[in-house]
Coordinates of all heavy atoms in Angstrom, one line a residue:
E12 N 86.2 102.0 84.6 CA 85.1 102.7 85.2 C 84.5 101.7 86.3 O 84.2 100.6 86.0 CB 84.0 102.9 84.2 CG 82.8 103.7 84.6 CD 83.1 105.2 84.4 OE1 83.9 105.6 83.5 OE2 82.4 106.0 85.0
E17 N 79.4 96.9 90.9 CA 80.6 96.1 90.6 C 80.7 94.9 91.5 O 80.4 95.0 92.7 CB 81.8 97.0 90.7 CG 83.1 96.2 90.5 CD 84.1 96.7 91.5 OE1 83.8 97.0 92.6 OE2 85.3 96.7 91.1
F29 N 86.9 84.6 94.6 CA 87.4 85.8 95.4 C 87.7 87.0 94.5 O 88.4 86.8 93.5 CB 88.7 85.4 96.2 CG 88.4 84.3 97.2 CD1 89.0 83.0 96.9 CD2 87.6 84.5 98.3 CE1 88.7 82.0 97.8 CE2 87.3 83.4 99.1 CZ 87.9 82.2 98.9
I49 N 107.3 106.5 86.9 CA 106.9 107.7 87.7 C 107.8 107.8 88.9 O 108.2 108.9 89.2 CB 105.4 107.6 88.1 CG1 104.5 107.6 86.8 CG2 105.0 108.7 89.0 CD1 103.1 107.3 87.0
I53 N 110.1 111.0 90.0 CA 109.9 111.7 91.2 C 111.2 111.7 92.1 O 111.6 112.7 92.6 CB 108.7 111.0 92.0 CG1 107.4 111.3 91.4 CG2 108.7 111.4 93.5 CD1 106.3 110.4 91.9
S101 N 91.4 103.7 119.0 CA 90.8 104.0 117.7 C 92.0 104.4 116.7 O 92.8 105.3 117.0 CB 89.9 105.2 117.8 OG 89.3 105.5 116.5
L104 N 93.1 104.3 108.9 CA 94.0 104.2 107.7 C 94.2 105.6 107.2 O 93.2 106.3 107.0 CB 93.4 103.3 106.7 CG 93.2 101.9 107.0 CD1 92.6 101.1 105.8 CD2 94.5 101.2 107.4
A110 N 99.2 115.1 107.5 CA 99.1 115.0 109.0 C 100.1 114.0 109.6 O 100.7 114.3 110.6 CB 97.7 114.6 109.4
Y131 N 109.5 113.9 101.0 CA 108.5 113.5 100.1 C 108.1 112.0 100.3 O 108.8 111.3 101.0 CB 109.0 113.7 98.6 CG 110.0 112.6 98.1 CD1 109.6 111.5 97.3 CD2 111.3 112.8 98.4 CE1 110.5 110.6 96.9 CE2 112.3 111.8 98.0 CZ 111.8 110.8 97.2 OH 112.7 109.9 96.7
R148 N 89.0 103.7 96.6 CA 89.1 103.6 98.0 C 90.5 103.4 98.5 O 90.8 103.7 99.7 CB 88.1 102.6 98.5 CG 86.7 103.1 98.3 CD 85.6 102.1 98.8 NE 84.3 102.8 98.6 CZ 83.2 102.1 98.8 NH1 83.2 100.9 99.1 NH2 82.1 102.8 98.6
I170 N 105.4 124.9 93.3 CA 104.5 124.7 92.2 C 105.3 124.3 90.9 O 104.9 123.4 90.2 CB 103.8 126.0 91.9 CG1 102.8 126.3 93.1 CG2 103.0 125.9 90.6 CD1 102.2 127.7 93.1
L171 N 106.5 124.9 90.8 CA 107.4 124.5 89.7 C 107.8 123.0 89.7 O 107.9 122.3 88.7 CB 108.6 125.4 89.6 CG 109.6 125.2 88.5 CD1 108.9 125.5 87.1 CD2 110.9 126.0 88.6
D184 N 101.1 119.5 79.4 CA 100.4 120.3 78.4 C 98.9 120.1 78.6 O 98.1 120.9 78.1 CB 100.7 119.9 77.0 CG 102.2 120.3 76.7 OD1 102.7 121.1 77.5 OD2 102.7 119.9 75.7
L188 N 97.1 125.1 85.6 CA 97.4 125.4 87.0 C 96.3 126.4 87.5 O 96.2 127.5 87.0 CB 98.8 125.9 87.1 CG 99.2 126.6 88.4 CD1 99.1 125.6 89.6 CD2 100.6 127.1 88.3
T240 N 70.3 128.3 102.8 CA 71.7 128.8 103.1 C 72.3 129.5 101.8 O 72.9 130.5 101.9 CB 72.6 127.7 103.6 OG1 71.8 126.9 104.5 CG2 73.8 128.2 104.2
P256 N 96.3 143.2 103.8 CA 97.2 143.8 102.7 C 98.5 142.9 102.6 O 99.0 142.7 101.5 CB 97.6 145.1 103.3 CG 96.7 145.5 104.4 CD 96.1 144.2 104.9
F296 N 96.2 121.3 89.9 CA 96.4 121.1 88.4 C 95.2 120.3 87.9 O 95.0 119.2 88.3 CB 97.7 120.3 88.2 CG 99.0 121.0 88.5 CD1 99.5 121.1 89.7 CD2 99.6 121.7 87.5 CE1 100.7 121.8 90.0 CE2 100.8 122.5 87.7 CZ 101.3 122.5 89.0
Q323 N 106.3 123.6 117.4 CA 106.6 125.1 117.4 C 105.9 125.7 116.2 O 105.7 125.0 115.2 CB 108.1 125.3 117.2 CG 109.0 124.7 118.2 CD 108.7 125.3 119.6 OE1 108.6 126.5 119.7 NE2 108.7 124.5 120.6
A327 N 104.8 126.2 106.5 CA 105.0 125.1 105.6 C 104.2 125.2 104.3 O 103.2 125.9 104.3 CB 104.6 123.8 106.4
T383 N 117.4 86.0 82.0 CA 117.3 84.6 81.6 C 116.3 83.8 82.4 O 116.1 84.0 83.6 CB 118.7 84.0 81.9 OG1 119.7 84.8 81.3 CG2 118.8 82.6 81.3
G385 N 114.8 79.6 82.5 CA 115.0 78.2 81.9 C 115.1 77.1 82.9 O 114.7 77.3 84.0
I410 N 120.8 72.7 75.4 CA 121.8 71.8 75.9 C 121.1 70.4 76.0 O 120.2 70.2 76.7 CB 122.4 72.2 77.2 CG1 123.0 73.6 77.1 CG2 123.4 71.2 77.7 CD1 123.4 74.2 78.5
G411 N 121.6 69.5 75.2 CA 121.1 68.1 75.2 C 122.3 67.2 75.7 O 123.3 67.7 76.1
L412 N 122.1 65.9 75.6 CA 123.1 64.9 76.0 C 124.4 65.1 75.3 O 125.5 65.1 75.9 CB 122.5 63.5 75.8 CG 121.6 63.1 76.9 CD1 121.1 61.7 76.7 CD2 122.3 63.1 78.3
G418 N 130.8 69.3 76.0 CA 131.1 70.6 76.7 C 130.7 71.8 75.8 O 131.4 72.8 75.8
I421 N 124.2 75.0 72.2 CA 123.7 75.6 71.0 C 123.0 76.9 71.3 O 122.2 77.0 72.2 CB 122.6 74.7 70.3 CG1 123.3 73.3 70.0 CG2 122.0 75.3 69.1 CD1 122.3 72.2 69.6
K437 N 132.0 79.9 76.2 CA 131.9 81.0 75.3 C 130.4 81.5 75.2 O 130.1 82.4 74.5 CB 132.3 80.7 73.9 CG 133.8 80.4 73.8 CD 134.6 81.8 73.7 CE 136.0 81.7 73.7 NZ 136.7 81.1 74.8
I443 N 126.2 88.0 75.2 CA 126.4 89.5 75.5 C 126.7 90.2 74.2 O 126.2 91.3 73.9 CB 127.5 89.7 76.5 CG1 127.0 89.2 77.9 CG2 127.9 91.2 76.6 CD1 128.1 89.3 79.0
K444 N 127.6 89.6 73.4 CA 127.9 90.2 72.1 C 126.7 90.5 71.2 O 126.5 91.5 70.6 CB 128.9 89.3 71.3 CG 129.6 90.1 70.2 CD 130.7 89.2 69.6 CE 130.1 88.5 68.3 NZ 130.9 87.4 67.8

Side-chain angles (χ1 to χ4, degrees):
E12 187 90 21
E17 175 218 35
F29 301 110
I49 294 170
I53 289 170
S101 181
L104 294 184
Y131 77 99
R148 290 183 174 168
I170 295 171
L171 181 65
D184 291 350
L188 169 61
T240 317
F296 288 87
Q323 301 296 318
T383 309
I410 303 172
L412 280 178
I421 298 168
K437 292 283 179 293
I443 291 177
K444 196 174 97 196

